[in-house]
Amino acid sequence: MTHIMACIDNSQSSLAVCDYAAWASQKLNAPLTLLHVLDEEKYPASADLSGNIGLGSREHLLEELATLDAKRSRLALEQGQHMLEKARERTVIFGAAFPELKQRHGHLVDSLNELQENIRLLVIGRVGEDSKRGVHSLGSQIEAVVRTIHRPILIAASNYKKPEKVMLAFDGSRTSHKTVELLAASPLCTNLPIHLVMVGADSEGNREALEKARNALLTHGFIVIAQILQGEVEAALHVYQAEHGIDLLVMGAYGHSSIRRFLVGSTTTTMLRTATMPVLLLR
């Protein structure tokens, strides 16, 4: 787990991915790798015509189509290499050390799964090049990546803004306390104020859990603002984010609590779809 790995494609998110990856690389003092995966469903590596022998004139047509597919794949690979080189130029300008470039042919999730032993933090855009370009669009592969890659994941916003205020969504569960510990131990958010926000009843138990989490962050030198909010989780978090100028949302990636269920599961991706800021998922 040594590298920051950033997924680069031709989407509207890629510039922001480069910038957040460069920021994270500097904060974590970790080398940066830029990854481009050419989807094998759109660009097959080769065509198998072994089952089409004896089709006469149609066989010739199929061979021509296979040749065209091969040419498209080659051009797509060249375009991907060009994107990676431009991405490297941008991350260097933003202060990252000279990044390594990787190009794979296959499926994004499979490629990341093969590489994840060397991933310290994955940076990926909220939408890919094939996704709809709406305000609340979310890439079709994000949930699969979150489920499969057991590493911290920074899901970039559409436009980069250097994080200056962090909101950690907290629910008092064991997983949530673990998220606090992971954030406290990481240099990613050092020198940034942490807004520790809990949505729920203002009960003695919740106050005790919030105080325990606050003390864990204070011990590591963070400035902490702890709050218990009322209302629906998603709406309360968004209102707080807007009122306090939060630049980065930190959450645990899994679970069934009222906060974490918005990310993965039957209700899926609601927070990611509506968030206007980057989201850091910890596990």
Side-chain angles (χ1 to χ4, degrees):
M1 295 189 293
T2 58
H3 286 241
I4 310 300
M5 185 162 292
C7 296
I8 304 299
D9 59 14
N10 197 34
S11 71
Q12 60 183 343
S13 298
S14 280
L15 292 180
V17 168
C18 290
D19 301 344
Y20 281 110
W23 169 78
S25 178
Q26 295 174 77
K27 292 285 288 186
L28 296 175
N29 192 26
L32 175 59
T33 296
L34 303 174
L35 173 69
H36 173 251
V37 178
L38 191 65
D39 191 333
E40 66 181 4
E41 291 184 359
K42 290 176 60 180
Y43 303 101
S46 61
D48 181 6
L49 302 178
S50 60
N52 298 309
I53 302 300
L55 294 180
S57 60
R58 289 187 60 191
E59 182 181 352
H60 177 68
L61 177 59
L62 289 170
E63 289 175 349
E64 287 189 3
L65 290 173
T67 300
L68 288 174
D69 281 344
K71 184 176 181 179
R72 287 178 64 247
S73 294
R74 185 177 69 253
L75 291 174
L77 283 168
E78 291 175 2
Q79 182 190 30
Q81 185 64 32
H82 178 71
M83 286 191 297
L84 286 172
E85 291 168 357
K86 289 297 184 182
R88 177 156 62 187
E89 292 176 7
R90 187 178 181 92
T91 56
V92 169
I93 290 173
F94 268 69
F98 199 69
E100 179 184 358
L101 305 183
K102 284 185 181 293
Q103 196 169 34
R104 292 290 187 98
H105 192 277
H107 295 290
L108 175 64
V109 176
D110 293 340
S111 298
L112 289 173
N113 193 34
E114 293 170 2
L115 295 168
Q116 74 168 308
E117 289 300 321
N118 291 320
I119 297 176
R120 182 173 179 181
L121 172 68
L122 174 66
V123 184
I124 188 170
R126 57 179 293 168
V127 294
E129 60 185 71
D130 295 326
S131 300
K132 297 179 181 179
R133 293 173 177 259
V135 174
H136 297 310
S137 295
L138 189 65
S140 59
Q141 299 191 86
I142 288 292
E143 185 176 357
V145 169
V146 172
R147 286 187 178 277
T148 305
I149 307 305
H150 301 288
R151 297 288 183 265
I153 302 174
L154 177 59
I155 301 172
S158 297
N159 298 295
Y160 174 73
K161 184 181 185 300
K162 183 179 179 180
E164 296 178 349
K165 294 181 181 179
V166 179
M167 177 167 66
L168 197 164
F170 179 78
D171 62 17
S173 67
R174 171 187 258 175
T175 302
S176 192
H177 279 288
K178 180 63 176 178
T179 302
V180 170
E181 294 171 6
L182 290 170
L183 182 65
S186 171
L188 187 64
C189 295
T190 53
N191 300 320
L192 300 180
I194 307 296
H195 290 250
L196 184 65
V197 179
M198 187 176 199
V199 182
D202 189 6
S203 64
E204 182 178 353
N206 281 344
R207 288 195 298 272
E208 289 177 354
L210 195 66
E211 184 64 16
K212 179 181 178 181
R214 177 176 174 273
N215 288 335
L217 290 165
L218 289 173
T219 300
H220 284 79
F222 288 96
I223 298 172
V224 185
I225 301 94
Q227 294 283 345
I228 295 180
L229 307 178
Q230 307 297 313
E232 294 293 326
V233 173
E234 178 194 343
L237 292 177
H238 287 322
V239 168
Y240 189 93
Q241 178 258 329
E243 289 179 346
H244 294 84
I246 302 297
D247 305 307
L248 176 65
L249 170 63
V250 180
M251 302 183 75
Y254 285 100
H256 303 287
S257 72
S258 56
I259 288 179
R260 287 175 283 120
R261 68 183 174 85
F262 281 99
L263 291 176
V264 179
S266 59
T267 41
T268 72
T269 65
T270 303
M271 279 300 298
L272 288 177
R273 192 178 301 279
T274 55
T276 57
M277 58 185 155
V279 179
L280 175 64
L281 302 180
L282 299 178
R283 48 165 58 82

